[in-house]
Structures are given as structure tokens and as C-alpha cells.
Amino acid sequence: MDTGAADALLICEHCDTVYRRRILVRGEVARCARCAAELERHQSLSVNAMLALVLTAMIVFVQANMWPIVTLGLNGQFSATTLWGMIITMWQQQAQVVSVLAAFTLFFFPMTKMLVLGWLLWFARRGRRAPGFVRLMVGLHHLGPWTMSEVFVLGALVAIVKAHNYFDVVADPGIYAYAALTVLITIFAGVDLRQLWVLTRDGQA
Ligand SMILES: [Zn+2]
């Protein structure tokens, strides 16, 4: 039954040369013979392990958004604020660009990526392609560069440093949830999702 994975074809993303896929062992990387671009590397994380990571990241993400991340002092008044509280306050304090940057890098991009990954992996556990598989895989491919942990960390730093111009800023527990989330996102950044193309099949389980 499961003949697909071993003899599927691989196409070089850079020069379109077609190869017959073979199973890689730990540490092996397949490269294009013409242009040396990386075709595929051995995956140490199973689909279940990836799904567990995504679910962990979602829980941490919810905590990071519910717990206060910083205490802001303005005109002698101090108040603990969540990420969204900070984003809204920055917007009101004429720092709209930073508030939008923070909203996207710290909230919308990571949330979208986690939800899409969770959806794809949930079906991939049973070797199936989730509804919308092709469009979502292509979408993730394009979204990839914009959700790298560097962007995430940069967004957090810019937001906090900028906030410093307007308020006294003291770190609260939520910021550590964000730090943990950054670690999880960094692990994801190393996962090659292209393996889902060969691990899954269209149709019924
Ligand atoms: Zn090539």
C-alpha cells in the first residue's frame, strides 16, 4: 500500500531538475547535482513530535497573551499590561508604526502559523492531507521568512525599547512566556515542512 514515500519525485526548487527520492538516514542531506541546492534533509522530528511542539507553543502563546508582560509607568501611575494593552497604549501615544509592527510580529504572524501548522499536522498524523493542503503549504512557504524568530525577537525588542520612550517599563511574567515561545519558534524554523508532501496522501484514511 505505502509505495508513495520511497519512490516519489523530488524537484530542485532552483533549477527544476527532477530526481527520484530516496530515504535519507540521520544527518544526511540530499543536494542537487546541477546547482548544489539543498533538496531535502533527514528529519529527526516525527509528525507527532511536531504536533506536540505546536500544541505546546499554542498553550505558551495563550499564557504570553493573558499574563501581563510589562508594568508601565505613566505620569506616576503604574499599571501592569498585557501585550495587547501595550499595543493599544502605544497606538494612543502616537507610536502607530511600532504598535502595528508589534501586533503583526508578536501576535498575528505567530498565531496564523501555529494554527495552520496544527491543522496540517493533525491530518498528517493519519497520513492524510488536510482540506486546503496545497494552498496552505504554499502559503506557509511564503509566510516563512516573515515569521522567523529573529523577526519575532526584533519586534519584541523594538516594542519594549520604544515603549521606554513613553513610559517606565518593568518586565512582568508574561515576558518569560514570550521568551519560551521564541525558543519554540526557533525549533520550528529548523523543521522542513516539505516532508509533509510525501508523508501524506489525498483521500480517505
Ligand atoms: Zn538544482
Side-chain angles (χ1 to χ4, degrees):
M1 289 292 283
D2 187 27
T3 56
D7 58 8
L9 299 177
L10 270 178
I11 301 172
C12 175
E13 287 179 2
H14 298 268
C15 69
D16 294 335
T17 309
V18 179
Y19 296 93
R20 188 169 295 278
R21 185 173 181 272
R22 69 172 180 81
I23 305 291
L24 300 174
V25 299
R26 181 173 287 271
E28 244 187 334
V29 178
R31 290 192 180 280
C32 175
R34 271 181 72 190
C35 71
E38 183 178 313
L39 296 171
E40 191 180 33
R41 58 174 62 231
H42 173 80
Q43 293 300 321
S44 45
L45 287 180
S46 68
V47 168
N48 274 327
M50 286 191 282
L51 186 61
L53 263 176
V54 172
L55 292 177
T56 308
M58 282 178 180
I59 293 166
V60 175
F61 185 74
V62 168
Q63 287 174 332
N65 278 280
M66 282 172 53
W67 291 343
I69 54 167
V70 287
T71 295
L72 300 178
L74 185 64
N75 305 327
Q77 292 197 316
F78 287 84
S79 62
T81 182
T82 59
L83 173 74
W84 276 101
M86 192 167 90
I87 288 170
I88 291 164
T89 311
M90 280 193 293
W91 180 271
Q92 290 163 346
Q93 298 292 319
Q94 318 303 325
Q96 279 94 348
V97 174
V98 184
S99 93
V100 169
L101 179 71
F104 275 90
T105 56
L106 297 176
F107 189 81
F108 290 114
F109 282 149
M111 185 182 68
T112 305
K113 192 155 190 180
M114 281 187 286
L115 289 176
V116 171
L117 277 172
W119 175 253
L120 293 174
L121 290 169
W122 183 259
F123 284 87
R125 281 179 75 206
R126 286 164 290 166
R128 290 184 55 202
R129 292 190 171 179
F133 180 85
V134 173
R135 254 181 303 145
L136 291 172
M137 286 294 282
V138 172
L140 272 182
H141 184 75
H142 291 296
L143 191 64
W146 297 98
T147 51
M148 287 187 305
S149 50
E150 292 87 339
V151 178
F152 185 81
V153 174
L154 195 70
L157 286 177
V158 169
I160 288 167
V161 168
K162 269 291 180 185
H164 234 311
N165 296 340
Y166 301 93
F167 324 99
D168 294 321
V169 181
V170 183
D172 279 329
I175 207 82
Y176 301 111
Y178 262 104
L181 197 56
T182 306
V183 174
L184 290 169
I185 287 175
T186 308
I187 297 172
F188 282 137
V191 173
D192 185 356
L193 289 170
R194 288 175 297 180
Q195 63 180 308
L196 292 183
W197 289 102
V198 285
L199 289 176
T200 60
R201 283 286 168 273
D202 266 326
Q204 297 72 38

